[in-house]
């Protein structure tokens, strides 16, 4: 009657293109850049950078440069 549409989420979610994913992995593993810097360079949010790394089996480093979760 009032033509109200429901808006769920923050927009359409799309998978990050493979060439961007490859660049994120390269910058993190070979250039040792931080997630925030990679986000600036690639135009993705830093949270997305870490999501992509985890999805590809790469353990994020802590601020000290060592992998997290290890003892």
């Amino acid at each position: 009657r009032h033509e109200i549409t429901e808006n769920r989420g923050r927009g359409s979610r799309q998978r990050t293109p493979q060439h961007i994913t490859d660049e994120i992995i390269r910058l993190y593993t070979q250039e040792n850049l931080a997630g925030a810097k990679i986000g600036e360079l690639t135009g993705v949010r830093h949270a997305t950078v870490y999501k992509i790394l985890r999805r590809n089996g790469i353990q994020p480093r802590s601020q000290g440069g060592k992998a997290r979760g290890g003892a």
Side-chain angles (χ1 to χ4, degrees):
R1 172 177 155 185
H2 295 285
E3 296 184 35
I4 298 172
T5 59
E6 189 173 348
N7 184 9
R8 292 186 177 188
R10 295 183 176 152
S12 62
R13 293 183 183 179
Q14 297 177 353
R15 185 72 95 174
T16 304
Q18 188 61 46
H19 70 280
I20 299 292
T21 296
D22 294 342
E23 182 67 0
I24 288 169
I25 293 169
R26 184 189 74 76
L27 291 170
Y28 193 80
T29 60
Q30 295 177 11
E31 303 293 329
N32 250 3
L33 295 181
K37 184 64 176 177
I38 295 170
E40 289 176 24
L41 294 172
T42 59
V44 300
R45 296 177 62 233
H46 73 279
T48 303
V49 169
Y50 290 110
K51 188 184 299 183
I52 288 169
L53 293 173
R54 285 190 303 273
R55 190 181 295 144
N56 286 277
I58 299 168
Q59 186 72 22
R61 297 183 294 264
S62 66
Q63 288 182 349
K66 297 177 183 173
R68 292 183 185 177

